Each structure stands twice: as C-alpha cells, then as structure tokens.
Amino acid sequence: MRTVWWLWPLVALCSGDQFRGEAEKIMQATPVIDGHNDLPWQLLTMFNNQLQEKAANLTSLAQTHTNIPKLRAGFVGAQFWSAYTPCDTQNKDAVRRILEQIDVIHRMCQMYPETFVCVTNSTGIRQAFQEGRVASLIGVEGGHSIDSSLGVLRALYHLGMRYLTLTHSCNTPWADNWLVDTGEDQAQSQGLSDFGQSVVREMNRLGVIIDLAHVSVATMKAALRLSKAPIIFSHSSAYSLCRHRRNVPDDVLQLVNQTGSLVMVNFYNDYVSCQKEATLSQVADHLDHIKKVAGAGAVGFGGDYDGVSRLPSGLEDVSKYPDLVAELLRRQWTEAEVRGALANNLLRVFEAVEQVSDHTRTPEEVPIPLGKLQGSCRTTYGYSEAPSFHPPPGALLALSTVLLGLCLL
C-alpha cells in the first residue's frame, strides 16, 4: 500500500492535540505545585513592593513570566513564592529585607483573594485545589536570611516560611554553597557545621522543609543523612545531563531515593542544556533521568520563573506547564507518575515533614559561636554573660592591657 506521506504531519498534530487534551484533563483535578517562583523579587525591583501601583496589577502585568492569567492557563494550583534577598545583604540588612519579601507575599494574597490564598500546610494546599485558588506558600531562599539565629528561624516559621534554602550562592557561617564545588569559594563548614546541624534539627522540629538547591555536594549529603524528614531541591536539575554544579549528581539522587526526598526540576537554560538555548524536550529529559535514578516519586517541577533570564523554547512562561505534561504523556509516563510530578510527590514530602515536626520538643537554643559571625555593626549582647561563653585566647590579656592603660590616664 502506498504511503500518503502528506498525512503524517496531520497525524502528528492530532496526536499532539490528544496528549495536550489529556494533560489538561489530568491537571484540572491535579494542578501543578511549583517549587520556586521569583515574582516577589520582580515586584521589589520593578515597583519597590508597591502593589497598588497601576503597572503592578497582577492581572495585566506583562513583562514578567508570571501573572494571574498565565497562572490560570498553566493550571498552577500551588506556588512556593520565593522570599529572596541577595548575598550582599549578609551581615547587613538581610533580616529586614526578608521580612519585607514575606510581607509582599502576604499582601499578594490580601489584594487578590479570588486568586491567591496564603497557606502553611498540606491541608491548605488541598483545600485551595478544591476552591480553585492558587495556594501560596513562602520559601525563604538563602540561609543568610536568618543571620545565623535560631530565634530568627523560628520567627520566620511563625510568619509562614515553610521551606528554607540552606544557602544561596554564598557560604553562610554554618553551611557551604555550590560555588565551593567549582573552586570559586572555599569550604568553611565542610558541608554543615555543628550549628548548621542544629539548624537542620530545628527545621525538623518546627516542620520547615529543608531545601538543598544552591548548596554544595557535601552539604547535600550531610543534610540528607541528618534530616529525619524528606528534603527537597526546590529548583535544581540533573547533573548527569548538564554538568553544572547547581544540579544534583547521581550519587545524591540515590540518597534522594533512599530518603523519600524530591527534586523539583529547574527550567533555566544554563542548568538544562548548559548552553544559552534549551528546549522543552530537554527539560523532559531531566525529568526522565531523575525518575530513572531516584524513582517516579522523586520528581517535581521548580521552574524558577521570574528568577532567570533564559528559558527553554516551549516553556517561556508559567502558562506552558500543560505542554510539558503532554510531553511526559507522549513519553509514556503513567497517569499516576504525572500526578506525582504535578503535586502528589510534594504533598507526600510536606505531609512527612509535618509528621516529623514536634512543637512539644525542646527547641535548639545553643547560639552560633561569636567568632563565626562577621559584620562590623554587629553587637554581642548575651555572649559575654552566657554560661558557655569562652573568650578567645589572648582576649583577657588584651582587655587587662586596655584597662591598665585607662587607669594610667
């Protein structure tokens, strides 16, 4: 029988429509939970967080990857909004800056209650799904935002933070970042210091998800082995497919599998193809690889929209999630695997974190050693009188010399 070659494009088009239609049907019941979106940072840089500015209207905001119509078209049902402040605020005004970014997320929910509802637990996400609203959660990006303070960590939890990325692209005094693995930064904690381990234990106690995007491999392994609850990589991809140190290597993916943890794939071209250009199909390759190495329960979406400058062809903004889901269906992912990647895997991790949390346990309270802190404007209240305070060698001699000099004046 002669092949009617000109029919093949039509067949392919119909097949594509079939997968896209199936994707939308699945997403109507199981919308996407995305692990990382930097719209709050755009609101700061574009409008100084003045949401009532006419140009800041989220129903018509055009120059961002994210707005309300795009979220609706992309079947986004829950979003971890990134409360982010850059590394240059460390030892300066990081805490103030992060409070302002948490505030702008709360105000998004207040200004657009028909679209956003701020939630703090897995039950709230499920309720938002039923209401057809976008469950809005707060992820604090960068451990420098707590200024090495367990008290600040707890305060941010009470303000709604439900994940903390242990570092951004800089070391904290208690955890090493990914630039250590490139040689651009020096390891300071060899993963996690003693205080860093206290931070992880306190996050477990509180019910804050530990996020390992941006950390060094040593920090990844230390946290995965120490945490009593599963962790996430809120916006990272597979190192085997793109050898960028922001991505997750296979030996760590095996630990992800063993701990029931989750990698939410980043769409940034540099982490997808290691080049300036990338495609939707290459993002699907990362999802395939993580599924193969860590299991179908370890896969999620962490697009990094509005936090990156280059996105793959076919994934230009948050409206494009159904096209990615259609590609997974085309690759013969089962409906259960797709629903897992969309939402159920994150819900499982979140519920496990909630089960491990125990607010009746005694909080971690040993402060970071004073010598680990930097910043010329920092005061030292509490340290000199604390039972465990030990002055550094020579400090008493130096103090005696100063006092003697004053007496001689």
Side-chain angles (χ1 to χ4, degrees):
M1 184 176 69
R2 188 175 59 170
T3 302
V4 184
W5 61 268
W6 54 267
L7 282 176
W8 286 115
L10 183 60
V11 171
L13 179 62
C14 293
S15 176
D17 287 344
Q18 173 195 341
F19 289 121
R20 170 71 190 221
E22 187 177 349
E24 291 188 6
K25 182 179 178 182
I26 291 171
M27 297 176 80
Q28 285 171 358
T30 309
V32 64
I33 302 175
D34 182 86
H36 193 88
N37 185 300
D38 277 296
L39 178 62
W41 178 251
Q42 296 298 327
L43 295 175
L44 172 64
T45 58
M46 295 168 64
F47 309 110
N48 203 11
N49 285 342
Q50 296 174 90
L51 299 188
Q52 296 183 52
E53 290 281 338
K54 183 177 180 180
N57 190 322
L58 295 185
T59 63
S60 56
L61 189 62
Q63 58 268 55
T64 55
H65 303 141
T66 311
N67 63 26
I68 289 172
K70 291 173 183 176
L71 289 166
R72 294 298 190 194
F75 293 89
V76 177
Q79 180 66 66
F80 278 92
W81 300 109
S82 174
Y84 164 69
T85 188
C87 283
D88 63 4
T89 65
Q90 184 163 214
N91 299 312
K92 298 175 185 175
D93 56 350
V95 175
R96 173 206 157 185
R97 288 289 187 177
I98 213 65
L99 291 175
E100 290 174 344
Q101 293 312 103
I102 288 173
D103 170 72
V104 83
I105 295 168
H106 284 295
R107 287 191 288 122
M108 284 169 55
C109 294
Q110 292 166 359
M111 283 194 68
Y112 302 94
E114 71 288 348
T115 299
F116 303 121
V117 54
C118 283
V119 305
T120 57
N121 52 43
S122 58
T123 301
I125 295 175
R126 295 182 188 278
Q127 181 65 35
F129 283 1
Q130 294 176 5
E131 296 172 357
R133 294 195 284 175
V134 179
S136 295
L137 301 103
I138 297 169
V140 171
E141 185 179 17
H144 61 283
S145 298
I146 69 169
D147 198 26
S148 300
S149 167
L150 294 166
V152 172
L153 174 70
R154 287 186 281 270
L156 295 186
Y157 168 81
H158 291 304
L159 290 173
M161 174 186 72
R162 286 303 178 269
Y163 79 59
L164 173 66
T165 317
L166 297 189
T167 73
H168 195 252
S169 298
C170 55
N171 291 338
T172 67
W174 44 272
D176 292 335
N177 84 101
W178 68 276
L179 291 171
V180 166
D181 297 329
T182 70
E184 295 173 69
D185 275 353
Q186 294 294 317
Q188 295 177 350
S189 301
Q190 315 308 317
L192 289 172
S193 71
D194 289 345
F195 183 79
Q197 294 175 37
S198 293
V199 170
V200 167
R201 288 192 295 267
E202 187 65 1
M203 290 172 71
N204 281 169
R205 189 191 73 84
L206 288 169
V208 177
I209 301 169
I210 296 160
D211 175 24
L212 300 181
H214 286 279
V215 306
S216 70
V217 170
T219 307
M220 294 177 193
K221 292 179 177 179
L224 280 160
R225 289 169 176 151
L226 176 62
S227 178
K228 301 298 184 184
I231 61 86
I232 66 170
F233 292 78
S234 67
H235 56 304
S236 298
S237 299
Y239 182 77
S240 286
L241 299 189
C242 172
R243 299 176 75 81
H244 193 293
R245 285 299 183 179
R246 269 284 282 105
N247 288 337
V248 187
D250 281 1
D251 59 338
V252 175
L253 287 178
Q254 291 167 2
L255 286 174
V256 167
N257 172 267
Q258 294 166 19
T259 56
S261 296
L262 179 65
V263 179
M264 309 183 85
V265 169
N266 193 313
F267 298 171
Y268 183 36
N269 290 356
D270 296 44
Y271 305 159
V272 172
S273 65
C274 285
Q275 298 177 9
K276 290 185 177 181
E277 304 295 329
T279 66
L280 179 152
S281 180
Q282 289 174 308
V283 173
D285 291 342
H286 282 265
L287 292 159
D288 274 341
H289 182 82
I290 294 167
K291 185 179 81 161
K292 177 182 176 182
V293 177
V299 185
F301 300 136
D304 209 357
Y305 283 112
D306 283 307
V308 297
S309 56
R310 293 183 289 274
L311 286 161
S313 172
L315 288 171
E316 292 84 0
D317 59 52
V318 298
S319 71
K320 304 296 185 179
Y321 288 108
D323 294 322
L324 181 56
V325 173
E327 176 63 19
L328 298 181
L329 292 169
R330 189 176 293 110
R331 295 180 181 214
Q332 299 185 328
W333 282 46
T334 68
E335 183 175 326
E337 290 171 342
V338 167
R339 291 186 189 278
L342 284 168
N344 292 342
N345 294 341
L346 186 281
L347 286 168
R348 172 187 57 77
V349 167
F350 201 177
E351 287 164 354
V353 169
E354 291 168 343
Q355 290 168 6
V356 167
S357 70
D358 183 359
H359 289 203
T360 67
R361 275 191 6 237
T362 303
E364 298 281 328
E365 62 176 15
V366 177
I368 192 168
L370 180 60
K372 295 288 186 180
L373 297 175
Q374 300 176 6
S376 59
C377 295
R378 191 181 298 279
T379 59
T380 60
Y381 297 120
Y383 279 95
S384 61
E385 301 298 328
S388 60
F389 175 73
H390 300 288
L396 291 177
L397 177 60
L399 179 61
S400 299
T401 303
V402 171
L403 291 175
L404 178 60
L406 290 173
C407 291
L408 294 175
L409 290 177

